[in-house]
Amino acid sequence: MKPCLLERTTVLFAWAAGLLLTAAVAVLFGYLFMHGLEVLNLPLIFGKTPPWRALLLQERVFEGLFPALAGTFMLVLLAICWAIPVGLATGVYLSEYAGPRVRRVLDALFDVLAGVPSIVVGLFGFALAVFLHRHFSERIGPCLLISSLALSILVLPYIIRTTQASLEGLPREIRLTAIALGATKLQNIILVLLPKSLAGVMSGIILAIGRCAEDTAVIMLTGVVASAGLPKSLLSQYEALPFYIFYISSQYTSPEELQQGYGAAIILLLLCALLLLAAYGIRKGLTHLVFYRP
Amino acid sequence: MKKLHELVAERLLCLSALASSAITLAILAFLVVMGLPLMRAGGVLPLVYSPWAPFQGSFGIFPMIVGTCAISLASLVLAFPLSLGCSFLIAAVAPSAVSRGFRRLIELMTGIPTVVYGFVGIFLLVPIVRELFRSGSGMSLLTAALVLGIMITPTMTLFFCDSFDRIPKSYLDAAEALGASRTQQLLHVMLPLAKKGMLTGVLLALGRAVGDTLIALMLAGNAVQVPTSVLEPARTLTAHIALVMAADYESPEFRSIFTCGIVLYLFTLTVTFVVRAMGSAKDEAA
């Protein structure tokens, strides 16, 4: 039997949509690599400074991405350090301790938090900096510390959700075995349940790292600047890769600077793609679920 | 009897859960406190519908609200058919190897940084739009909506695929036993059953579109005006916050961005609760 018109149209439509999206990705990657591939080398990162002297912090890098890369690295490291303990603890609490009513309320709050636009989180970070400046110390302004705190708020739902989901996904036999052997609830969680759900937890953390590295809106409001060199302390301003890309796109003064922008975009793109693939390799299909658990 | 350290651990976990959920409320509280002076001066409603004229002392964010709605709805109009097609391709149309590969590609796309989308948009799409329509700088509502549409398509497609996946296999087997082809199963069994899950996907994608800053900031032209055509520049709430941050602190202009923040927050709240309400209604029906 020949398929009717509606069915043939559907098939055609599906392939067309698929091709269109694939083409869009191909154009994005192709365009970036076409323009940026030739600058992808060590001078892109270190400028004229010898790489090992820059890495040992003996010499400041002026014409390279090194300060931006270092800033992003520090930012991600700090944000993840704040977010992991709180996120893990909250995930464990939600899945193992919370009663149904408490869980409903907290779930709703984290759903909201996961959906709050990053610029609003940035605004909160800024307001926090102003608050601390007024009431605690004059030295606190928008800085690395505030940015990393705000970013950790942004990625907290990722870690909570993946921890909670992978704990709740454990089969009953695994849950009950250690308890039946006389383990306490806490021993069971630490020695059995968490190790068993490590894959899910890790993938959540890697997704969170990717989100931290990628986000521009939060850091724009909380202390990133176009040129600061390496951050000297937690309370100093810093450079970051995504902000550098944004800055170059509107403020470039020479073709060479624009080329650096292409290079930076490729580096960020590859970094995020790698992180996502890693998270995906560890556990499949979690990438979009942070926004809502069906 | 529970041992002491068990109790301490439980309290600590509880504390961190309470602290992190309190952040959700703290964000709103900070926004309201910071935005309060301006709201007290002119009332809340005039802020929302009056025009933006800082020199006349009017800080209404109406143009930005319209800009946000226009750009995100336009991107949704572009992304919805695209996502529908892609999810059809993954769920039923393509052979399984192609479908798996394509799904990987889409999952990879969710990780592309928005600033990279914006960057490529500026240097690739903006000149094309400028040449094609011969109007203005090429930075327009349409340009931003096009890129934003591509940006939200992967999220929406994955949610669509999820709601197709949740359909019990027995339903599909029954249809197949009656002689339905894969496409017929898709159109007459999967699509009607997945409607609700798909609506969730659309809503969450809309949330992403409204919440995104960089694409609109880089591509929409940022003129403070109510756009009358898709080729005109527009400014979104998110871009407005980013742009005004450069202005000096304590000015009323500056205060208005907290009103924008509150509007965005309330929008998120609404989307989240609508999605949750739909989810629990589904649970009761099942």
Side-chain angles (χ1 to χ4, degrees), chain B residues 6 8 20 27 30 45 52 69 71 106 109 116 126 129 137 144-145 155-156 179 182 205 240 260 271 284:
Chain B
E6 297 266 325
V8 172
S20 44
I27 291 176
F30 263 87
L45 275 181
W52 173 260
C69 292
I71 289 182
I106 287 185
M109 276 187 80
V116 172
V126 166
V129 170
S137 64
T155 313
M156 217 195 290
R182 281 297 278 169
H240 182 67
C260 293
V271 166
E284 277 155 31

Side-chain angles (χ1 to χ4, degrees), chain A residues 7 13 15 25 31 89-90 97 106 111 115 117 124 126 130 134 184 186 214 221 249 258 272 276 280 288 294, chain B residues 6 13 16 20-21 30 81 93 104 107 109 111 113-114 123 162 166 184 218 245 249-250 254 268 272 276:
Chain A
E7 288 160 31
F13 168 64
W15 281 107
V25 186
Y31 181 77
T90 306
Y97 288 96
L106 291 187
D111 275 353
F124 171 70
F126 176 81
V130 170
R134 277 195 198 148
T184 63
L186 187 64
E214 177 243 0
L221 302 193
S249 75
L258 186 57
C272 290
L276 200 80
Y280 191 80
H288 58 298
Chain B
E6 297 266 325
L13 293 175
S16 74
S20 44
S21 54
F30 263 87
V93 174
R104 294 277 179 291
E107 265 154 349
M109 276 187 80
T114 54
F123 295 109
D162 275 1
R166 276 201 299 278
Q184 284 167 334
M218 292 166 95
M245 274 305 279
Y249 170 63
E250 284 294 346
F254 183 84
T268 310
T272 311
R276 284 183 69 87

Side-chain angles (χ1 to χ4, degrees), chain B residues 10 37 52 57 85 130 187 201 207 214:
Chain B
E10 186 176 344
W52 173 260
R130 185 167 52 216
L187 286 172
L214 265 292

Side-chain angles (χ1 to χ4, degrees), chain B:
Chain B
M1 203 193 89
K2 276 186 184 173
K3 285 199 191 105
L4 184 66
H5 64 263
E6 297 266 325
L7 259 175
V8 172
E10 186 176 344
R11 287 289 136 78
L12 276 178
L13 293 175
C14 180
L15 194 70
S16 74
L18 288 180
S20 44
S21 54
I23 290 172
T24 314
L25 304 174
I27 291 176
L28 185 61
F30 263 87
L31 291 178
V32 170
V33 168
M34 295 289 279
L36 211 54
L38 190 65
M39 284 187 239
R40 211 181 271 147
V44 179
L45 275 181
L47 271 180
V48 175
Y49 62 70
S50 62
W52 173 260
F55 298 111
Q56 278 101 58
S58 168
F59 299 99
I61 53 171
F62 183 65
M64 283 59 114
I65 293 181
V66 175
T68 294
C69 292
I71 289 182
S72 42
L73 287 180
S75 71
L76 211 56
V77 167
L78 292 165
F80 180 71
L82 202 56
S83 312
L84 204 60
C86 291
S87 63
F88 284 1
L89 196 63
I90 291 174
V93 174
S96 67
V98 177
S99 145
R100 220 174 303 135
F102 190 55
R103 195 171 180 148
R104 294 277 179 291
L105 178 75
I106 287 185
E107 265 154 349
L108 185 70
M109 276 187 80
T110 58
I112 298 179
T114 54
V115 68
V116 172
Y117 278 116
F119 189 82
V120 174
I122 281 191
F123 295 109
L124 187 66
L125 195 61
V126 166
I128 294 178
V129 170
R130 185 167 52 216
E131 289 305 310
L132 214 56
F133 298 99
R134 304 215 166 277
S135 70
S137 64
M139 294 194 184
S140 64
L141 208 157
L142 178 72
T143 324
L146 277 172
V147 178
L148 207 52
I150 299 286
M151 198 274 278
I152 59 174
T153 296
T155 313
M156 217 195 290
T157 306
L158 290 175
F159 273 106
F160 287 2
C161 289
D162 275 1
S163 46
F164 288 146
D165 288 346
R166 276 201 299 278
I167 295 167
K169 195 163 178 312
S170 55
Y171 288 28
L172 299 179
D173 289 344
E176 194 169 0
L178 293 171
S181 67
R182 281 297 278 169
T183 322
Q184 284 167 334
Q185 289 172 32
L186 175 73
L187 286 172
H188 304 295
V189 182
M190 292 164 83
L191 208 50
L193 283 171
K195 239 182 232 159
K196 211 163 202 171
M198 290 170 69
L199 191 58
T200 310
V202 171
L203 276 174
L204 289 166
L206 180 67
R208 283 210 70 183
V210 168
D212 184 77
T213 313
L214 265 292
I215 290 176
L217 180 65
M218 292 166 95
L219 300 174
N222 296 322
V224 185
Q225 57 171 18
V226 176
T228 48
S229 90
V230 287
L231 289 174
E232 281 186 18
R235 187 187 281 200
T236 61
L237 289 166
T238 49
H240 182 67
I241 296 177
L243 287 164
V244 172
M245 274 305 279
D248 64 327
Y249 170 63
E250 284 294 346
S251 70
E253 243 167 315
F254 183 84
R255 296 276 176 191
S256 76
I257 64 176
F258 291 99
T259 325
C260 293
I262 294 170
V263 171
L264 285 169
Y265 188 98
L266 293 180
F267 172 79
T268 310
L269 209 64
T270 317
V271 166
T272 311
F273 281 100
V274 168
V275 167
R276 284 183 69 87
M278 278 174 12
S280 57
K282 186 172 59 192
D283 290 343
E284 277 155 31

